Amino acid sequence: MKEARRSGRPSRMAKSKVRVKKVAGSPRPGTVLVVDDDPSVLRAMGRLISASGFTVKMFAKPSELMASEIPKSNACMVVDIDLPEMTGIEMCEVMKTSGRGLPAILITGRTDNRTRLQAAQADAVAVLFKPFDRVPLLDAIGRALALSTRD
Amino acid sequence: MNRMANRAEEFNGTKAAAGALAEFARDPHVADFEKLLSDLSASFIRVSAEEVDAEIDRWLQLIVLAMNIDRSTVVQFEHSERTFYVTHQWAREGLAAPERGRRVDDTSSYPWLAAQVLSGEVVVIPRVEDMPAEASKDRDSFRRDGNKSNVTIPLRIAGVVVGAVLFGTLTSEKAWTQKEVQRLKLVAEIFGNALERKRVDAKVRRLSEELQQVSQVVTMGELTASLAHELNQPLAAIRNNSQAALELLTAKSPDLMEVALALEDIVRDNTRAADTVRSVRALFQRGETKMSAVDVKEILLDVNRIVRPDAKMKNISMSINAPDSLPLARGNKTHLTQAVLNLVLNAFDSVCETHGPREVGLLAARMEPGNVKVSIRDSGKGIDSKVMPHLFEPFFTTKPTGMGMGLAIVRSIVENHGGRLWATQNIDRGATIEFEVPVEADTPRTS
């Protein structure tokens, strides 16, 4: 995980609906699309992933993400399960059927059995339960990007 | 005649008692004592459990004056300590009376009398000086306490001797007639019944309190997942922001502005988590029964915070409508929060049983005269007209897994606040359950 500590210098957050953080200097290849309807959790993940050297795009709900330009390769998603409009799991399936699927990491603040079961059955690189650590998150992003590149 | 005037002067009890005494003063006859007894009996049927003690005090006074004796006392036995305590007493002015709550040790002061009373015997002592030899200790105690003669009657609650009622003279000896003793036994019986009612009332109160605790635990169980989510969100953000800040600081020229923004977010999320914990604590405070000025709007916001994740998972849209000018209510915050929460969870169950829109609205408004009304309106299946009359009854439920306690507890909480609770069928769809509690007296009136 050493290489993940490469410095990143994200600019201050843009005010637009879709917020993009460009990494200055030597950008680490890879774009991470993050969707979470909790603004604070979204900002924090954007900051962390960006500071770890990735390009980050942030979205508050599925329709925003799906309306955006989805990278064809070298990209992955970090998706909250508990979203408005549809669940994160459903969003991944919709994207997959429309041929715009990306390797996804599911995250959730729920710990109940139903959510655990749903997540386990979903087609995800990893399922992370909030509050999760930086290490498993970056580890999962690394694996997801590897899958994306191979495709 | 002077003595009669004294009686009226010394007496300051209820109107009913005063009437009885006035009648007795006019014609101090045996028949009037019968009248007094029937008034006594009637009066104890009327008083509430909380008034029993004061009523016994009043009647002790009245009986002393009516019988022309000097002092009357109720003592109760504390089994664990093998001791009598004075619980009620009255004595003529200027005469010694045992202080209420005074401990009367049965083994050292009145061993013989205590043994007699506990075995259910009525003890009549016309002359303290003539007491039997085996009662020498009791005689000394009577002398010390200034008694010249005495009648001691066992006090029974539910058939068990729990203490005694004592009637005594201090200024002169008295020959107690059989009839007088009979009547005093009746008095002790009425006192015993009243004290039993008080004891049952206290027990019911304690049980209902315990039931409420149990229901809180059940509610807690239902809400655990929701609360875990509500805390995991800020905790996740705090951890990610902290680690992002650490990461940012390792850069050659760190973006300190971004670090500052991360720290600001951490502080905000910390407050958010603390607010959730505070809301939950307000809901599950144990044994807190005191009434104070309560902000009803804050209660609605607390409940909303607690159920928000649950609402989200069930696709229920919630709205809160409470004016800023809402006066403070007089109540217990924990209990009122519990009541609102129960009603909201009930509304959740109702809207989830329909296929239409799932909406739950919380409203608070000032009602004249001097009430705050809380309404929980849902778009659910409504309340069947057959169900309506039983809605707030304990153990009544239409849910397969329900205990039928939720709404019954809400009713008991609202009634403890001196308020009222009712349900109505909405014109369009669903039902509205509403309750009113009084406003805090000190709240300035808005006109």
Side-chain angles (χ1 to χ4, degrees):
Chain A
M1 291 316 302
K2 199 81 188 171
E3 68 271 22
R5 294 190 70 85
R6 201 172 299 161
S7 70
R9 298 192 53 213
S11 58
R12 286 196 64 183
M13 204 175 300
K15 283 260 165 75
S16 65
K17 239 180 172 183
V18 177
R19 285 148 294 193
V20 180
K21 289 192 176 185
K22 281 285 181 196
V23 181
S26 53
R28 184 191 174 86
T31 303
V32 184
L33 281 58
V34 186
V35 54
D36 196 311
D37 66 332
D38 186 319
S40 179
V41 173
L42 184 63
R43 274 202 305 276
M45 272 198 301
R47 231 172 243 138
L48 177 65
I49 297 169
S50 168
S52 304
F54 300 95
T55 303
V56 177
K57 292 184 180 185
M58 296 189 280
F59 308 92
K61 49 189 179 187
S63 58
E64 278 185 18
L65 186 147
M66 292 192 289
S68 76
E69 194 188 318
I70 310 288
K72 293 216 158 37
S73 69
N74 204 19
C76 70
M77 299 189 290
V78 176
V79 181
D80 188 28
I81 293 180
D82 207 25
L83 290 173
E85 300 167 346
M86 62 183 85
T87 70
I89 297 171
E90 285 163 351
M91 186 197 78
C92 291
E93 280 164 8
V94 169
M95 290 178 70
K96 205 171 173 183
T97 33
S98 63
R100 307 201 302 160
L102 285 176
I105 296 145
L106 293 173
I107 59 173
T108 181
R110 296 195 183 280
T111 48
D112 56 286
N113 289 338
R114 211 182 65 156
T115 305
R116 280 176 187 277
L117 191 68
Q118 278 178 346
Q121 288 168 343
D123 180 20
V125 176
V127 181
L128 301 177
F129 293 92
K130 295 175 190 174
F132 48 78
D133 196 70
R134 169 183 176 276
V135 175
L137 175 67
L138 294 183
D139 182 52
I141 289 174
R143 282 188 285 131
L145 287 175
L147 278 172
S148 168
T149 311
R150 206 191 306 144
D151 291 346
Chain B
M1 228 36 228
N2 228 353
R3 190 94 203 212
M4 289 297 166
N6 274 348
R7 274 182 205 154
E9 216 166 86
E10 283 172 67
F11 179 76
N12 52 10
T14 57
K15 269 188 191 159
L21 181 65
E23 208 167 289
F24 183 82
R26 276 195 300 277
D27 186 10
H29 236 259
V30 175
D32 292 298
F33 199 85
E34 301 295 339
K35 169 85 169 65
L36 199 68
L37 276 182
S38 82
D39 283 351
L40 172 75
S41 181
S43 142
F44 271 97
I45 288 166
R46 275 197 307 273
V47 296
S48 69
E50 300 98 72
E51 296 166 329
V52 163
D53 285 328
E55 195 66 10
I56 289 179
D57 283 341
R58 268 200 292 274
W59 280 97
L60 286 179
Q61 173 183 14
L62 188 52
I63 290 162
V64 165
L65 296 175
M67 289 190 75
N68 210 0
I69 57 173
D70 296 314
R71 182 163 72 193
S72 59
T73 310
V74 176
V75 297
Q76 286 183 53
F77 190 57
E78 187 57 67
H79 279 273
S80 57
E81 301 167 36
R82 296 202 57 78
T83 309
F84 284 107
Y85 284 90
V86 174
T87 56
H88 308 79
Q89 62 78 24
W90 196 83
R92 280 181 194 278
E93 215 180 317
L95 297 178
E99 276 167 53
R100 183 165 313 169
R102 197 190 88 175
R103 196 166 167 274
V104 187
D105 194 326
D106 65 329
T107 51
S108 69
S109 301
Y110 294 97
W112 176 80
L113 191 63
Q116 299 282 316
V117 165
L118 285 175
S119 63
E121 294 291 325
V122 172
V123 183
V124 181
I125 305 164
R127 275 171 55 87
V128 164
E129 297 309 319
D130 292 345
M131 285 175 77
E134 68 260 35
S136 62
K137 260 192 184 162
D138 303 68
R139 189 181 55 215
D140 293 345
S141 301
F142 270 134
R143 276 185 191 145
R144 185 198 62 211
D145 289 345
N147 266 286
K148 289 241 164 47
S149 82
N150 188 285
V151 170
T152 305
I153 297 165
L155 176 71
R156 287 187 173 85
I157 292 185
V160 178
V161 177
V162 297
V165 188
L166 294 92
F167 301 92
T169 61
L170 283 75
T171 45
S172 58
E173 285 153 1
K174 176 173 168 62
W176 303 82
T177 67
Q178 186 114 27
K179 211 160 193 180
E180 280 174 326
V181 173
Q182 275 303 325
R183 289 189 195 111
L184 292 177
K185 276 170 80 176
L186 210 60
V187 169
E189 200 174 304
I190 293 168
F191 284 0
N193 288 343
L195 289 169
E196 178 178 1
R197 196 150 57 85
K198 187 186 154 200
R199 200 175 272 195
V200 168
D201 189 77
K203 197 171 181 179
V204 167
R205 210 173 282 257
R206 205 183 59 239
L207 283 175
S208 111
E209 187 77 9
E210 277 172 17
L211 187 60
Q212 209 163 312
Q213 299 292 347
V214 170
S215 122
Q216 285 181 0
V217 172
V218 171
T219 314
M220 188 65 170
E222 281 172 19
L223 288 174
T224 305
S226 187
L227 289 170
H229 178 267
E230 206 55 14
L231 286 172
N232 282 339
Q233 292 294 103
L235 287 177
I238 286 169
R239 180 181 283 215
N240 288 348
N241 269 319
S242 312
Q243 293 190 315
L246 285 172
E247 192 65 32
L248 287 165
L249 289 172
T250 62
K252 268 187 203 135
S253 49
D255 184 346
L256 293 179
M257 183 55 87
E258 192 65 30
V259 172
L261 289 173
L263 292 175
E264 276 173 20
D265 274 353
I266 288 172
V267 171
R268 206 172 307 125
D269 276 316
N270 180 277
T271 307
R272 179 176 154 196
D275 280 349
T276 299
V277 171
R278 191 185 48 72
S279 307
V280 176
R281 266 185 49 196
L283 184 57
F284 295 103
Q285 227 137 53
R286 214 188 145 79
E288 180 58 79
T289 53
K290 74 171 196 291
M291 298 273 187
S292 56
V294 181
D295 183 345
V296 172
K297 186 171 187 174
E298 197 180 292
I299 289 178
L300 299 190
L301 292 173
D302 275 354
V303 169
N304 180 53
R305 188 179 290 119
I306 292 166
V307 301
R308 196 165 45 198
D310 201 31
K312 201 178 148 195
M313 189 150 77
K314 292 171 176 164
N315 268 319
I316 299 166
S317 71
M318 285 187 73
S319 60
I320 294 187
N321 198 333
D324 287 331
S325 63
L326 195 69
L328 297 173
R330 176 89 190 147
N332 177 284
K333 193 180 176 198
T334 302
H335 290 174
L336 287 179
T337 308
Q338 176 81 37
V340 174
L341 179 71
N342 278 357
L343 293 176
V344 168
L345 291 178
N346 197 64
F348 278 17
D349 287 347
S350 180
V351 296
C352 286
E353 283 186 40
T354 60
H355 297 291
R358 297 179 169 184
E359 290 156 8
V360 173
L362 307 185
L363 288 88
R366 188 199 180 109
M367 297 303 283
E368 292 303 333
N371 282 332
V372 174
K373 184 173 82 171
V374 175
S375 313
I376 287 88
R377 187 187 163 88
D378 69 61
S379 64
K381 57 172 178 156
I383 302 163
D384 193 287
S385 59
K386 283 187 198 124
V387 168
M388 193 67 101
H390 309 289
L391 196 62
F392 302 115
E393 285 173 12
F395 305 113
F396 180 85
T397 181
T398 56
K399 299 167 196 165
T401 56
M403 276 212 305
M405 286 317 298
L407 293 182
I409 283 164
V410 173
R411 184 177 72 177
S412 106
I413 290 171
V414 170
E415 284 174 357
N416 277 344
H417 281 75
R420 63 191 192 99
L421 170 76
W422 69 98
T424 44
Q425 192 79 4
N426 296 338
I427 294 167
D428 46 355
R429 51 180 308 162
T432 302
I433 298 186
E434 296 172 287
F435 67 81
E436 278 183 359
V437 288
V439 300
E440 171 76 7
D442 297 341
T443 308
R445 294 196 137 234
T446 48
S447 50

